Amino acid sequence: MVRSGEEPKPAGRATDGTGPARLRERFLQGEPVDTGVRTSILNSWRRSRSLGLSPDRTDLPYSEDFDPGGRIVRAAVPVLDRLQDAFSGSQINISVADANGIVLLRRFGDPAMARSLPAIQRVPGFVFAEQVAGTNGIGLALAERQLIRVYGAEHFAERSQGNACVAMPVRDPLSGRIEGVLCFGYPRSFEQPGLGAAIRRAAENIERRLLGQSSAHERALLRTYLATGSEAGLYSGVALDAVAGEFPPRDQAILREKAAELISRGQRAAIDVTLPGGRRVTLVSRPMTSVSGVRGFAVEAVLPGTAATGSFVLPHQADELPDLAALSAAARPARPSITPPSGYLAAAAAPAASAAPAVAPDGARAAAGYGETGRAEGGKEPADGGGAAAGGGAAVAGGGAGAAEGGRDVVGGDGDMVDGGGDALYGGRGALDDGTGSPFPARGLVMVGEPHVGAYALAARRRLELLSEASARIGTTLDVRRTAEELAETAVPRLADFVTIDLPDAVLRGEESADPLADLRRTVLHGVREGLPFTQPGKRIDFGPTAPQLRCLTTGEAVLEPDLKAAAGWLAQDPEHTARLLAHVHSLIAVPLLARGVVLGIASFYRAGGSFGDDDRSLAQELAARAALSIDNARRYTHERTMVLALQRRLLPHGLPDQDAVEVAHRYLPAESDVGGDWYDVIPLSGTRVGLLVGDVVGHGMLSAATMGRLRTAARSFAELDFSPDEVLTHLDNLVGRLDREDPDGKGAGVIGATCLYAVYDPTEQRCLMARAGHPPPALVHPDGTVSYPDLPAGPPLGLGGLPFDTVEIDVPEGSQLVLYTDGLIEDRHRDVDVVLEQLRVALAHPERAPEETCQAVLDTVAPTHPHDDIALLVARVHALDPGRIAAWELPADPAVVAEVRASAMRRMADWGLDETAFAAELILSELITNAIRHGAAPIRVRLLYGRTLICEVSDVSNTAPHLRRAASTDEGGRGLFLVAQLSQSWGTRYLPEGKVIWAECGLDAA
């Protein structure tokens, strides 16, 4: 079993050549060691080697730079005494070192063990830091900043090969700073499973005693404040939050926060605080020194309009201090007329010998959420079970009127001040009713505390604020690069002075990186100033094997380097580059960007002045974790969007068909947020006509793109069957409804609907037939530059079913431009549609432009800067078929006229120079005219169209369509259409409002 914060134990710990001893030997000989050694041990070996340490060195340095009576010593002595009793007679030795690895205390289960130590290790002061002793429990616990076990050959030094140890850092609960290390050492044969739990409990006891020392300081300051006020007769007041109508909880929180800031500055000051409702309150901080020598500050609130503030002039800055001496010696301020809340008991003016000091309730005391002080027994300093003083100082709202009854100040078990006579702030006999009916005073204590405690409380609050801000600032877009920039912008300057973020190229493309270190690229560089010798964005990044960035990826945890000048691994990766950086940066936190098991990159936080601490490391890791989730979301979105966009583009036309009816240009612009289902198409039709199609599937994503492909294919098939525009839309409407009904979930979550516009232009008549299904109307640019939007019925969107579509026919003179588009071009939440249509009209009022130029002009001037929907745009300049290339005849239903028409057609084809095509065309015309006379109805019309091909058309007013069949060998007829199909490139039937047209298209090189 592996406890939280511990690494798995290695399989072998003996020095038999099969376990760590053999691996250590290979490492010292320069051979690669990739498996079998825990990551923390291997990293420590590498650091030790880069520092030039020798494994056979036997002596340890001695330092005189330590405090034998410091906080860690005072807190640890009772705990070590109890541990010595618990391990009495065993082979365990117990050590406590300070934050520099200097051993200050030692205890032995068997006192005889001390005689086996070198003389220098029997007294405080010898150093076990990793920098001088190599891999060992104390040094590695300081380097890794967590619970560490080191077994036998895992030690770097030869002298420690027969020993094992478990070590754990001890932190100040208020600051989070490491104050020292507790270490259990023992022979390898003494391994006990409960040592990990024992050292955790012991370290927690030491930390509680450290906290108790801070709590005692706060209580001493509070007693001093109350005693001073009692002697001078000055500080009589109420809890600020007692005046419910004057200071609601939000205002109280603001005042406590400002009070913590004043205490953290550690100077005499006064500031004017403007509350959200417009009220102004003066906060005054003044220094105090308790009888025991504890130095701190008290912060009082003075309401405006009182005598005490009449002569008080506030500076613009808090360090421009007014003279507060007169305020300290002033008479008791006059009380404003404030009516107390019903049933609320508070301290009132009373003789110093009998008044109860007023104390704030729990909400007023806890300025930063560090908890309450533990119960003290007999008025002594809290025992190991004590808790924290209110962060930033003991927050006591309301100045006490004086000392407790009989001059005895008693500290209750929860840290509150109560009087010896039993009067309390809540319940019991209150001091409000003093017989005078006096209202509340307007001055009271807000907080007392030591400056460094106030600074810790303020730092904790600001860390919480930064995390809250990060939730709102990081991940506002689904762009990988922008999300990384938001992380850097959030961290600078409130956490770090400089931030670099390195992401693999694959992540930037929306993919998972198979080897993140192989394709890392500097993506973001952000700091308080520019010009530093960091690797610039866009450059490839290669981290050395000992670099903190590589270690953080290996362990999956943030790596802290408090002092980069002493960070051997960081210095060794690129000595020339790091030497230049050292002139500008001092401390580093490297954090892996990990989300859902995927390595996304590395974030490096640099501080120019001062060092990062463990709280900073935790904060950086939390910021990076939140950013990593947002980056992974953006990466997944980028991957999906790339796939959808590839599918969308694959399903759109790859080129334009050859035809002479229109000159076409098109554009497709995907939405920034997601890809939709917009499409367009140009479809050559019979009789030199051309179909223009634009559509839009409702929704976004893969489903919409796939549905778009199905609808475009179906629409093209319906159009090629020569259906009229309204019939094409009707068939599409039925298809969309069927797709909805076939939804596998049965909830209609798939295709909701679509819109479509279909127009058919005939160059022989220069007319256009069009219909739309809930789609924006087209624009028509006339040759003279006027722009109009044809009055075309909107029609229902596709998918509603059962509603008809109307068709409109308009004249389109040669040289005009038809502009078809989807709603993404004109509809935007920030723009009015009518205004956009007018902008489109202006942009199109240039008939001299080619369709390509028109497309670009429309996108440049009309399209939104950041489109929220796809845009499909189709511009077609129409051409007319030369009348000299059209030949037409009308004839009765008489077989005798067939030869005459055939002869006239041959002469016309000779005039056009189509002698090679004439033979096939003659046979086709003979068959089609004969069929029309035999099976159709008069009048019968014949037309030849000479364009890219030769088209033969025969129409009559009958709706009976011919069918191609294969005649049997015994049949006397039935081979005519078969011959037509063989002689032509294509043939078909086109229905008219009255009758039909049978057409056949011949290649100009047909023989």
Side-chain angles (χ1 to χ4, degrees), residues 701-758:
M702 187 73 72
L703 180 61
S704 294
T707 303
M708 176 275 293
R710 299 173 74 177
L711 292 185
R712 174 179 171 255
T713 301
R716 188 178 187 93
S717 299
F718 296 145
E720 288 178 342
L721 290 174
D722 272 324
F723 290 148
S724 63
D726 58 323
E727 290 178 304
V728 169
L729 295 183
T730 299
H731 286 296
L732 288 177
D733 182 53
N734 294 333
L735 174 62
V736 172
R738 186 165 62 254
L739 293 176
D740 267 336
R741 292 191 297 272
E742 294 173 357
D743 179 15
D745 296 333
K747 300 178 182 179
V751 180
I752 300 175
T755 65
C756 186
L757 170 64
Y758 181 42

Coordinates of all heavy atoms in Angstrom, one line a residue, residues 701-758:
G701 N -21.4 21.3 -36.0 CA -20.7 20.1 -35.7 C -20.7 19.0 -36.7 O -21.2 19.2 -37.9
M702 N -20.2 17.8 -36.3 CA -20.1 16.7 -37.3 C -21.4 16.3 -37.9 O -21.6 16.0 -39.1 CB -19.5 15.5 -36.5 CG -19.1 14.3 -37.4 SD -17.7 14.7 -38.5 CE -16.4 14.6 -37.2
L703 N -22.5 16.2 -37.0 CA -23.8 15.8 -37.5 C -24.3 16.8 -38.6 O -24.9 16.3 -39.6 CB -24.8 15.7 -36.4 CG -26.2 15.3 -36.7 CD1 -26.2 13.9 -37.3 CD2 -27.1 15.4 -35.5
S704 N -24.1 18.1 -38.4 CA -24.6 19.0 -39.4 C -23.8 18.9 -40.7 O -24.4 19.0 -41.8 CB -24.5 20.4 -38.8 OG -25.4 20.6 -37.7
A705 N -22.5 18.7 -40.6 CA -21.7 18.6 -41.8 C -22.1 17.3 -42.5 O -22.2 17.3 -43.8 CB -20.2 18.5 -41.4
A706 N -22.3 16.2 -41.8 CA -22.7 15.0 -42.5 C -24.1 15.1 -43.2 O -24.3 14.6 -44.3 CB -22.7 13.8 -41.5
T707 N -25.0 15.7 -42.4 CA -26.3 16.0 -43.0 C -26.3 16.9 -44.2 O -27.0 16.6 -45.2 CB -27.3 16.6 -41.9 OG1 -27.3 15.7 -40.8 CG2 -28.7 16.7 -42.4
M708 N -25.4 17.9 -44.2 CA -25.3 18.7 -45.3 C -24.9 17.9 -46.5 O -25.4 18.1 -47.7 CB -24.2 19.8 -45.0 CG -23.9 20.7 -46.2 SD -22.6 20.1 -47.4 CE -21.2 20.1 -46.3
G709 N -23.9 17.0 -46.4 CA -23.5 16.2 -47.5 C -24.6 15.3 -48.1 O -24.8 15.2 -49.3
R710 N -25.5 14.8 -47.2 CA -26.6 14.0 -47.7 C -27.6 14.9 -48.4 O -28.1 14.5 -49.5 CB -27.3 13.3 -46.5 CG -26.4 12.4 -45.8 CD -27.0 11.9 -44.5 NE -28.0 10.9 -44.8 CZ -28.7 10.2 -43.8 NH1 -28.4 10.4 -42.5 NH2 -29.6 9.3 -44.1
L711 N -27.9 16.1 -47.9 CA -28.9 17.0 -48.6 C -28.3 17.5 -49.9 O -29.0 17.6 -50.9 CB -29.2 18.1 -47.7 CG -30.0 17.8 -46.4 CD1 -30.4 19.0 -45.6 CD2 -31.3 17.0 -46.8
R712 N -27.0 17.8 -49.9 CA -26.4 18.3 -51.2 C -26.5 17.3 -52.3 O -26.8 17.5 -53.4 CB -25.0 18.8 -51.0 CG -24.3 19.2 -52.3 CD -22.9 19.7 -52.1 NE -22.3 19.8 -53.4 CZ -21.4 19.0 -53.9 NH1 -21.0 17.9 -53.2 NH2 -20.9 19.2 -55.1
T713 N -26.2 16.0 -51.9 CA -26.2 14.9 -52.9 C -27.6 14.7 -53.4 O -27.9 14.6 -54.6 CB -25.7 13.7 -52.2 OG1 -24.3 13.9 -51.8 CG2 -25.7 12.5 -53.2
A714 N -28.6 14.7 -52.4 CA -30.0 14.5 -52.8 C -30.5 15.7 -53.7 O -31.2 15.5 -54.7 CB -30.8 14.4 -51.6
A715 N -30.1 16.9 -53.3 CA -30.6 18.1 -54.1 C -30.0 18.0 -55.5 O -30.7 18.4 -56.5 CB -30.1 19.4 -53.4
R716 N -28.8 17.6 -55.6 CA -28.2 17.5 -57.0 C -28.9 16.5 -57.8 O -29.1 16.7 -59.0 CB -26.7 17.2 -56.9 CG -25.9 17.3 -58.2 CD -24.5 17.1 -58.0 NE -23.8 17.3 -59.3 CZ -23.2 18.5 -59.6 NH1 -23.3 19.5 -58.8 NH2 -22.6 18.6 -60.8
S717 N -29.2 15.4 -57.2 CA -29.9 14.3 -57.9 C -31.3 14.8 -58.4 O -31.7 14.5 -59.5 CB -30.0 13.1 -57.0 OG -28.7 12.6 -56.6
F718 N -32.0 15.4 -57.5 CA -33.3 15.9 -57.8 C -33.2 16.9 -59.0 O -34.1 17.0 -59.9 CB -34.0 16.5 -56.6 CG -34.3 15.6 -55.5 CD1 -34.3 16.0 -54.2 CD2 -34.7 14.2 -55.8 CE1 -34.5 15.1 -53.2 CE2 -34.9 13.3 -54.8 CZ -34.8 13.7 -53.5
A719 N -32.2 17.8 -58.9 CA -32.1 18.8 -59.9 C -31.7 18.2 -61.3 O -32.2 18.7 -62.3 CB -31.0 19.8 -59.5
E720 N -30.9 17.2 -61.3 CA -30.5 16.6 -62.5 C -31.6 15.8 -63.2 O -31.5 15.4 -64.4 CB -29.3 15.7 -62.3 CG -28.0 16.5 -62.0 CD -26.8 15.6 -61.7 OE1 -27.0 14.4 -61.4 OE2 -25.7 16.1 -61.8
L721 N -32.7 15.5 -62.4 CA -33.9 14.9 -63.0 C -34.7 15.9 -63.7 O -35.8 15.6 -64.1 CB -34.6 14.2 -61.9 CG -34.0 12.9 -61.4 CD1 -34.8 12.3 -60.2 CD2 -33.8 11.8 -62.5
D722 N -34.3 17.2 -63.7 CA -35.0 18.3 -64.4 C -36.3 18.6 -63.7 O -37.2 19.1 -64.3 CB -35.2 18.0 -65.8 CG -34.1 18.4 -66.7 OD1 -33.5 19.5 -66.4 OD2 -33.7 17.8 -67.7
F723 N -36.3 18.4 -62.3 CA -37.5 18.9 -61.6 C -37.4 20.4 -61.5 O -36.3 21.0 -61.4 CB -37.5 18.3 -60.1 CG -37.8 16.8 -60.1 CD1 -37.2 16.0 -59.1 CD2 -38.6 16.2 -61.0 CE1 -37.5 14.7 -59.1 CE2 -38.9 14.9 -61.0 CZ -38.3 14.1 -60.0
S724 N -38.6 21.0 -61.4 CA -38.6 22.5 -61.2 C -38.2 22.8 -59.8 O -38.1 21.9 -58.9 CB -40.0 23.0 -61.4 OG -40.9 22.4 -60.5
P725 N -37.8 24.1 -59.5 CA -37.3 24.4 -58.2 C -38.3 24.1 -57.0 O -37.8 23.6 -56.0 CB -37.1 26.0 -58.3 CG -36.8 26.2 -59.7 CD -37.6 25.2 -60.5
D726 N -39.6 24.3 -57.2 CA -40.5 24.0 -56.1 C -40.6 22.5 -55.9 O -40.7 22.0 -54.8 CB -41.9 24.5 -56.4 CG -42.4 24.0 -57.7 OD1 -41.7 23.8 -58.7 OD2 -43.7 23.8 -57.8
E727 N -40.4 21.6 -57.0 CA -40.4 20.2 -56.8 C -39.1 19.7 -56.1 O -39.2 18.8 -55.3 CB -40.6 19.5 -58.2 CG -41.9 19.7 -58.8 CD -42.0 19.0 -60.2 OE1 -41.1 19.3 -61.0 OE2 -42.8 18.2 -60.4
V728 N -38.0 20.3 -56.4 CA -36.8 20.0 -55.8 C -36.9 20.2 -54.3 O -36.5 19.4 -53.4 CB -35.6 20.7 -56.4 CG1 -34.3 20.6 -55.5 CG2 -35.3 20.3 -57.8
L729 N -37.4 21.4 -53.9 CA -37.6 21.7 -52.5 C -38.6 20.8 -51.8 O -38.4 20.4 -50.6 CB -38.0 23.1 -52.3 CG -37.0 24.2 -52.8 CD1 -37.6 25.6 -52.5 CD2 -35.7 24.0 -52.1
T730 N -39.6 20.4 -52.5 CA -40.6 19.4 -51.9 C -39.9 18.1 -51.6 O -40.1 17.5 -50.5 CB -41.8 19.2 -52.9 OG1 -42.4 20.5 -53.1 CG2 -42.8 18.2 -52.3
H731 N -39.1 17.6 -52.5 CA -38.4 16.3 -52.3 C -37.4 16.5 -51.1 O -37.3 15.5 -50.3 CB -37.7 15.9 -53.6 CG -38.6 15.4 -54.6 ND1 -39.4 14.2 -54.5 CD2 -38.9 15.8 -55.9 CE1 -40.1 14.0 -55.6 NE2 -39.9 15.0 -56.4
L732 N -36.7 17.6 -51.1 CA -35.8 17.8 -50.0 C -36.5 17.9 -48.6 O -36.1 17.4 -47.6 CB -35.0 19.1 -50.2 CG -33.9 19.0 -51.3 CD1 -33.2 20.4 -51.4 CD2 -32.9 18.0 -51.0
D733 N -37.7 18.5 -48.6 CA -38.5 18.6 -47.4 C -38.9 17.2 -46.9 O -38.8 16.9 -45.7 CB -39.7 19.5 -47.7 CG -40.6 19.7 -46.5 OD1 -40.1 20.1 -45.4 OD2 -41.8 19.4 -46.5
N734 N -39.3 16.4 -47.8 CA -39.6 15.0 -47.4 C -38.4 14.2 -46.9 O -38.5 13.5 -46.0 CB -40.2 14.2 -48.6 CG -41.6 14.8 -49.1 OD1 -42.3 15.4 -48.3 ND2 -41.9 14.7 -50.3
L735 N -37.3 14.5 -47.5 CA -36.0 13.8 -47.1 C -35.7 14.2 -45.7 O -35.3 13.4 -44.8 CB -34.9 14.1 -48.1 CG -33.5 13.6 -47.6 CD1 -33.5 12.1 -47.5 CD2 -32.4 14.0 -48.6
V736 N -35.7 15.5 -45.4 CA -35.3 16.0 -44.0 C -36.3 15.4 -43.0 O -35.9 15.0 -41.9 CB -35.3 17.5 -44.0 CG1 -35.2 18.0 -42.6 CG2 -34.2 18.1 -44.9
G737 N -37.6 15.4 -43.3 CA -38.5 14.8 -42.4 C -38.3 13.3 -42.1 O -38.4 12.9 -41.0
R738 N -37.9 12.6 -43.2 CA -37.6 11.2 -43.0 C -36.3 11.0 -42.2 O -36.2 10.1 -41.3 CB -37.4 10.6 -44.4 CG -37.2 9.0 -44.3 CD -37.4 8.4 -45.7 NE -36.4 8.8 -46.7 CZ -36.7 9.7 -47.7 NH1 -37.9 10.1 -47.8 NH2 -35.7 10.0 -48.5
L739 N -35.3 11.9 -42.3 CA -34.1 11.8 -41.5 C -34.4 12.0 -40.1 O -33.9 11.4 -39.2 CB -33.1 12.8 -42.0 CG -32.4 12.5 -43.4 CD1 -31.5 13.7 -43.7 CD2 -31.7 11.2 -43.4
D740 N -35.3 12.9 -39.8 CA -35.7 13.2 -38.4 C -36.4 11.9 -37.8 O -36.2 11.6 -36.7 CB -36.7 14.4 -38.3 CG -36.0 15.7 -38.0 OD1 -34.9 15.6 -37.5 OD2 -36.5 16.7 -38.4
R741 N -37.3 11.3 -38.6 CA -38.0 10.2 -38.1 C -37.1 9.0 -37.9 O -37.3 8.1 -37.1 CB -39.1 9.8 -39.1 CG -40.3 10.8 -39.1 CD -41.4 10.3 -39.9 NE -41.1 10.0 -41.3 CZ -41.2 10.9 -42.3 NH1 -41.6 12.1 -42.0 NH2 -40.9 10.5 -43.5
E742 N -36.0 8.9 -38.7 CA -35.0 7.8 -38.5 C -34.0 8.1 -37.5 O -33.0 7.3 -37.4 CB -34.4 7.6 -39.9 CG -35.3 7.1 -41.0 CD -34.7 7.0 -42.3 OE1 -33.5 7.4 -42.4 OE2 -35.3 6.5 -43.3
D743 N -34.1 9.1 -36.7 CA -33.1 9.4 -35.7 C -33.0 8.2 -34.7 O -34.0 7.8 -34.2 CB -33.6 10.7 -34.9 CG -32.7 11.0 -33.8 OD1 -31.5 10.5 -33.8 OD2 -33.1 11.8 -32.9
P744 N -31.8 7.7 -34.5 CA -31.7 6.4 -33.7 C -32.1 6.7 -32.3 O -32.5 5.7 -31.6 CB -30.2 6.1 -33.8 CG -29.5 7.4 -34.2 CD -30.5 8.1 -35.1
D745 N -32.0 7.9 -31.8 CA -32.4 8.2 -30.4 C -33.9 8.4 -30.2 O -34.4 8.4 -29.1 CB -31.7 9.4 -29.9 CG -30.2 9.2 -29.8 OD1 -29.8 8.0 -29.6 OD2 -29.4 10.2 -29.9
G746 N -34.5 8.6 -31.4 CA -36.0 8.8 -31.3 C -36.4 10.1 -30.7 O -37.5 10.3 -30.3
K747 N -35.5 11.0 -30.5 CA -35.8 12.3 -29.8 C -35.7 13.5 -30.7 O -35.8 14.6 -30.3 CB -34.8 12.5 -28.6 CG -34.9 11.3 -27.6 CD -33.9 11.6 -26.5 CE -34.0 10.4 -25.5 NZ -33.0 10.6 -24.4
G748 N -35.4 13.2 -32.0 CA -35.3 14.4 -32.9 C -34.1 15.2 -32.6 O -34.0 16.4 -33.0
A749 N -33.1 14.6 -32.0 CA -31.9 15.4 -31.6 C -30.9 15.6 -32.8 O -29.9 16.3 -32.7 CB -31.1 14.8 -30.4
G750 N -31.2 14.9 -33.9 CA -30.3 14.9 -35.0 C -30.6 16.1 -35.9 O -30.3 17.3 -35.6
V751 N -31.2 15.9 -37.0 CA -31.5 16.9 -38.0 C -32.8 17.7 -37.5 O -33.8 17.1 -37.4 CB -31.7 16.4 -39.4 CG1 -32.0 17.5 -40.4 CG2 -30.5 15.6 -39.8
I752 N -32.6 18.9 -37.3 CA -33.8 19.8 -36.9 C -34.5 20.4 -38.1 O -35.7 20.5 -38.2 CB -33.4 20.9 -35.9 CG1 -32.8 20.2 -34.7 CG2 -34.5 21.8 -35.5 CD1 -32.2 21.2 -33.7
G753 N -33.7 20.7 -39.1 CA -34.2 21.4 -40.3 C -33.1 22.0 -41.1 O -31.9 21.9 -40.8
A754 N -33.5 22.6 -42.2 CA -32.5 23.2 -43.1 C -33.3 24.3 -43.9 O -34.5 24.3 -44.0 CB -31.9 22.2 -44.0
T755 N -32.5 25.2 -44.5 CA -33.1 26.2 -45.4 C -32.4 26.0 -46.7 O -31.2 25.5 -46.8 CB -32.9 27.6 -44.9 OG1 -31.4 27.9 -44.8 CG2 -33.5 27.8 -43.5
C756 N -33.0 26.5 -47.8 CA -32.4 26.2 -49.1 C -33.0 27.2 -50.1 O -34.2 27.7 -50.0 CB -32.7 24.8 -49.6 SG -32.0 24.3 -51.2
L757 N -32.2 27.6 -51.1 CA -32.6 28.5 -52.2 C -32.1 27.8 -53.5 O -30.9 27.5 -53.6 CB -32.0 29.9 -52.1 CG -32.2 30.8 -53.3 CD1 -33.6 31.1 -53.6 CD2 -31.4 32.1 -53.1
Y758 N -33.0 27.6 -54.4 CA -32.7 26.9 -55.7 C -33.2 27.8 -56.8 O -34.3 28.2 -56.9 CB -33.3 25.6 -55.8 CG -33.0 24.8 -57.0 CD1 -31.7 24.8 -57.6 CD2 -33.9 24.1 -57.7 CE1 -31.4 24.1 -58.7 CE2 -33.6 23.4 -58.9 CZ -32.3 23.4 -59.4 OH -32.0 22.7 -60.5

